[in-house]
Amino acid sequence: MSSLKIGEYELLPFDLDAKPAMETYLARLQLDTSDYTFAANYLWLSGGSGFYAIIDECFCLFLLYGGELSMLLPPLGNKSKTISAMSTCFTLMSDHNDSPLNNKIYYVDEYLVADFIDQLAPGAEIFDLLEDFIVERSLVDYVYKTKSLIDLAGNAYSTKRNEINKFRRIHPTYQLEALDPDIHGDGISKLVNKWISDRMKYIPVEQQEVFLDGVYSERLAIRRMIKDYRALNLIGLVILIEGEIKGFTAGEQINDQTASVIVEKTDFEVFGCAQFIFREFAKVLFHKYDVETINVGDDMGFENLKKVKMSYRPSKLIPKYTIYQRH
């Protein structure tokens, strides 16, 4: 991928070579939000074009999609330069895009929204910020206490326990293995294809095109996960039944206390498999990596996904915002 030139700025391709630079800037923030890691962005940019630049001592990550430029994260780094970096980034988007509606910054952590406000001139009120920018709450990340996901104690988790127990009764010879891309890559791809085929049977015709667009991006992300698994320092787990992969999950440590689940897939026809692998992955993260909390990301606006994530009783919800520039 070549670089992207806009005025005096050169946006560099967001590839593996960008990992050290981005992680240097992220280390200064120490956020628990799932989007604020190199791996999460690198994987999900498989279907688009990512670019970055260091602007006003901040790491600025851009997405080029359909010829239009937006930002996947706000400028990361020097807090005293955040507002000026953000203004420059909006200028770059305006200079490049055909429509000002595409000039936006996604996934802005609530902590950083507060920073933007704090950096205004002394005595400035929040509406002064809104003279130039519109800040809109969008999604939330779901965060859980790792120990709670392991114990599943109390009536609130009785259904989860029953599903796990039934899985273990029906499949007593299951095997759990640490994900190894060389050993498990083909089996993971086979499972993903089956998962898509099974889902298509229940998707209404009018929703199939949207579903397939999303699945295309997810398949690319999973392929990239397998290819660059070790370079990204990912942590993963697979479950096998009679030698066939029926579920896999992969995530990473966001910081010393918090890990994330980036992707998880299980066979629909294996009852309790999703609940079982989720708890087993929590055990791995707790006992091997001393992780106290697990962030499973947002629900992407899907009501069914929201219900599933709420059913695990999150200990914290992390709001995320989108910032638009006034026209």
Side-chain angles (χ1 to χ4, degrees):
M1 187 194 307
S2 59
S3 60
L4 179 64
K5 186 79 171 178
I6 305 176
E8 64 181 272
Y9 288 91
E10 182 180 15
L11 307 187
L12 302 175
F14 185 69
D15 53 23
L16 281 175
D17 291 337
K19 185 174 185 287
M22 185 177 187
E23 291 185 342
T24 296
Y25 286 88
L26 286 168
R28 302 172 186 174
L29 298 174
Q30 288 293 304
L31 299 175
D32 292 336
T33 316
S34 61
D35 310 277
Y36 287 71
T37 74
F38 175 83
N41 288 282
Y42 177 75
L43 292 178
W44 295 112
L45 277 170
S46 299
S49 298
F51 295 88
Y52 77 98
I54 308 301
I55 298 173
D56 289 334
E57 301 176 42
C58 296
F59 186 98
C60 301
L61 177 60
F62 296 87
L63 168 67
L64 183 66
Y65 183 78
E68 297 288 276
L69 200 65
S70 59
M71 294 189 73
L72 284 177
L73 297 174
L76 309 172
N78 191 320
K79 292 183 178 181
S80 66
K81 301 290 184 69
T82 303
I83 292 291
S84 61
M86 188 167 66
S87 296
T88 300
C89 290
F90 271 115
T91 298
L92 293 178
M93 288 185 277
S94 296
D95 290 345
H96 181 274
N97 293 342
D98 290 330
S99 171
L101 296 177
N102 294 308
N103 304 345
K104 61 183 73 173
I105 304 175
Y106 299 100
Y107 307 117
V108 184
D109 182 271
E110 63 172 345
Y111 170 77
L112 298 180
V113 168
D115 276 351
F116 294 152
I117 296 169
D118 289 343
Q119 288 175 47
L120 296 176
E125 302 291 341
I126 188 169
F127 60 80
D128 289 328
L129 177 67
L130 302 183
E131 287 182 2
D132 296 317
F133 305 111
I134 300 171
V135 181
E136 177 184 67
R137 179 165 169 159
S138 51
L139 300 168
V140 298
D141 270 5
Y142 296 80
V143 182
Y144 310 89
K145 294 292 186 183
T146 311
K147 198 71 166 58
S148 297
L149 297 180
I150 295 172
D151 296 341
L152 296 177
N155 292 334
Y157 292 108
S158 60
T159 300
K160 309 293 184 190
R161 295 195 303 271
N162 291 337
E163 290 167 334
I164 290 170
N165 291 335
K166 185 172 182 179
F167 169 85
R168 299 182 71 169
R169 287 197 304 271
I170 297 173
H171 307 285
T173 61
Y174 72 85
Q175 294 174 281
L176 283 169
E177 297 180 3
L179 195 158
D180 185 319
D182 298 325
I183 297 172
H184 303 124
D186 290 343
I188 288 173
S189 297
K190 182 179 178 181
L191 173 62
V192 170
N193 290 337
K194 183 180 187 303
W195 183 88
I196 294 170
S197 177
D198 289 344
R199 284 279 291 173
M200 285 294 290
K201 296 174 185 177
Y202 303 100
I203 298 285
V205 174
E206 64 273 13
Q207 297 178 17
Q208 288 183 0
E209 185 175 350
V210 174
F211 172 75
L212 288 173
D213 286 343
V215 163
Y216 174 75
S217 298
E218 192 166 27
R219 288 182 70 179
L220 289 177
I222 292 171
R223 287 178 191 170
R224 182 172 273 193
M225 179 204 75
I226 294 169
K227 175 177 175 290
D228 297 318
Y229 185 86
R230 292 186 177 87
L232 296 172
N233 300 315
L234 297 176
I235 307 163
L237 192 66
V238 298
I239 184 164
L240 300 96
I241 298 174
E242 297 180 1
E244 188 173 356
I245 293 178
K246 293 298 182 180
F248 74 94
T249 185
E252 62 178 332
Q253 271 195 271
I254 298 175
N255 53 50
D256 291 342
Q257 291 79 37
T258 304
S260 70
V261 177
I262 298 176
V263 61
E264 178 188 294
K265 286 284 176 285
T266 56
D267 190 328
F268 282 134
E269 297 179 331
V270 182
F271 183 86
C273 188
Q275 294 76 16
F276 182 73
I277 198 170
F278 187 38
R279 186 175 73 168
E280 294 303 310
F281 194 43
K283 290 179 182 179
V284 170
L285 294 172
F286 184 76
H287 294 298
K288 189 172 181 179
Y289 298 93
D290 297 321
V291 166
E292 298 176 4
T293 56
I294 297 176
N295 187 330
V296 299
D298 57 58
D299 55 39
M300 298 180 288
F302 297 129
E303 191 62 31
N304 61 332
L305 192 54
K306 177 180 178 180
K307 289 179 180 178
V308 171
K309 295 191 175 187
M310 287 300 296
S311 72
Y312 276 95
R313 312 298 184 196
S315 62
K316 181 170 65 172
L317 300 175
I318 302 177
K320 299 186 289 192
Y321 298 80
T322 302
I323 297 180
Y324 307 84
Q325 188 176 36
R326 286 193 181 275
H327 311 308

